[in-house]
Amino acid sequence: SRLLLAARGWGRLGAMSRYSTEQRGRPNSPDYRLYFKNADGKYISPFHDIPLFAGSKEDKEIPAKRSKTTGSEVLFNMIVEVPRWTNAKMEIATEEPLNPIKHDIKKGKLRYVANIFPHKGYIWNYGALPQTWEDPNYTDKITGCCGDNDPIDVCEIGSKIHSSGEIVQVKVLGVLALVDEGETDWKIIAISADDPEAQKINGKYFYIDGVKKHKPGYLEATLDWFQLYKIPDGKPENHFAFNGEFKNKDFAVEIIKSTHEHWKALLHKKVDGGTIKCTNVLVSGSPFCCSDEDARSIVQSVRIF
């Protein structure tokens, strides 16, 4: 199948933003939704219609054969859900058509992560890679657990605080294998490609070791945060595969590619996605592809307060 990719991201490497967002409902309310539009002003799904690989050309095979690079580095698009230092648990609504960003709800209440001393809220820009899916029916050979039914998570460690709904082109540095309530929940460690420290963290220090050199204590804080952040909610500590060891960039890229393949199977109805909504506008050949008019109707049916 082929993708018609009209947009490339927020253009943090020089071009003007090719995406925009439209808010529906009030922030900090159950009704809040953040919908996405492409360069043509058409509503799209950030989960399915934004390319995984940054700089993918229009009308290219999935995955794109040519992607934007910095030197020999392939870059990925990251959808920012939660800005650094904030507490509201914002996430892509995988079970809603066009998958807007919403405020997560648990037992009828809006979810906010606790401040785990000495941290304040999320300690990175937190989000996901589009066109990836951790299949809950697939048992990971490495962790022995099934996927968590979401796009793969990203912790962006650059110096800038990004906004919810922003698309950031990132350089992958490594990955942490969190096992959350018996599910595999990979956490990609990445940095915005135009961050001043992005070029310092390179092959000389093998990427994840470069984080240890240029951002001392950050990986240790990340491990600490993920281990403890659910304890204030009355849950036990989280556990990790590999005894909490961060795996390197090449390992991380292979995990991304695997979840991208699972996403392709999902979008072409080769696997059962359960309650996942695969409504998209740009994935040609997908049985879930809808018209621009249908996408507009989906958004307009959502109440504005």
Side-chain angles (χ1 to χ4, degrees):
S1 347
R2 300 167 75 85
L3 270 183
L4 300 177
L5 300 173
R8 295 187 189 178
W10 280 80
R12 303 264 320 137
L13 301 180
M16 292 293 289
S17 170
R18 300 298 178 91
Y19 295 105
S20 61
T21 54
E22 180 177 306
Q23 178 182 312
R24 298 256 161 170
R26 293 176 289 104
N28 300 305
S29 80
D31 306 305
Y32 178 80
R33 297 293 184 276
L34 194 65
Y35 285 93
F36 287 70
K37 292 181 178 179
N38 66 8
D40 299 322
K42 297 177 180 179
Y43 293 106
I44 60 169
S45 161
F47 187 2
H48 307 306
D49 291 320
I50 293 175
L52 170 61
F53 297 98
S56 301
K57 301 298 183 181
E58 289 188 9
D59 200 21
K60 292 289 182 182
E61 295 292 332
I62 307 174
K65 293 180 179 177
R66 291 188 178 183
S67 304
K68 185 169 287 186
T69 63
T70 53
S72 60
E73 193 74 43
V74 175
L75 303 182
F76 298 88
N77 284 321
M78 170 191 176
I79 304 161
V80 177
E81 296 167 306
V82 186
R84 183 189 286 113
W85 311 136
T86 62
N87 298 73
K89 193 175 188 310
M90 310 302 294
E91 62 179 17
I92 294 170
T94 59
E95 298 183 0
E96 295 182 15
L98 295 184
N99 316 114
I101 288 178
K102 69 170 186 176
H103 199 142
D104 189 28
I105 297 176
K106 193 87 166 186
K107 297 181 180 178
K109 294 182 179 181
L110 299 176
R111 291 186 67 188
Y112 296 88
V113 298
N115 293 321
I116 304 297
F117 183 83
H119 312 303
K120 168 66 174 74
Y122 286 77
I123 63 174
W124 344 257
N125 294 298
Y126 191 71
L129 295 182
Q131 297 186 346
T132 62
W133 180 53
E134 296 188 67
D135 186 348
N137 296 310
Y138 172 78
T139 301
D140 189 280
K141 295 181 177 62
I142 301 169
T143 66
C145 298
C146 295
D148 72 347
N149 206 29
D150 284 326
I152 198 166
D153 296 322
V154 184
C155 302
E156 194 278 320
I157 65 171
S159 55
K160 181 178 178 180
I161 297 176
H162 292 282
S163 303
S164 184
E166 191 171 349
I167 309 302
V168 180
Q169 295 175 357
V170 298
K171 173 180 176 177
V172 168
L173 307 174
V175 65
L176 176 67
L178 175 68
V179 178
D180 186 355
E181 298 182 30
E183 297 176 335
T184 303
D185 191 4
W186 296 103
K187 306 296 182 183
I188 299 295
I189 308 301
I191 189 168
S192 175
D194 67 347
D195 189 88
E197 293 184 317
Q199 295 308 310
K200 297 178 184 178
I201 303 174
N202 53 38
K204 182 178 180 181
Y205 296 106
F206 209 49
Y207 299 96
I208 202 67
D209 290 336
V211 178
K212 297 174 185 176
K213 176 179 175 60
H214 295 287
K215 290 183 173 289
Y218 212 157
L219 295 181
E220 291 83 355
T222 295
L223 197 66
D224 183 61
W225 196 97
F226 278 120
Q227 184 174 5
L228 303 177
Y229 83 103
K230 288 189 176 182
I231 288 180
D233 296 328
K235 294 184 177 180
E237 291 184 0
N238 279 323
H239 300 284
F240 308 92
F242 316 115
N243 294 316
E245 175 191 354
F246 287 82
K247 292 297 185 179
N248 65 35
K249 182 207 73 169
D250 291 340
F251 189 104
V253 169
E254 288 305 310
I255 296 298
I256 293 169
K257 288 179 179 179
S258 173
T259 58
H260 185 47
E261 292 300 316
H262 291 153
W263 170 83
K264 286 194 285 184
L266 175 70
L267 262 285
H268 292 90
K269 219 170 184 177
K270 294 180 179 178
V271 294
D272 180 11
T275 57
I276 294 287
K277 286 291 186 289
C278 299
T279 309
N280 68 85
V281 179
L282 303 176
V283 186
S284 297
S286 168
F288 304 103
C289 193
C290 73
S291 67
D292 299 337
E293 293 75 18
D294 288 339
R296 190 181 309 112
S297 296
I298 289 170
V299 178
Q300 291 177 346
S301 68
V302 177
R303 295 175 296 170
I304 300 179
F305 294 89

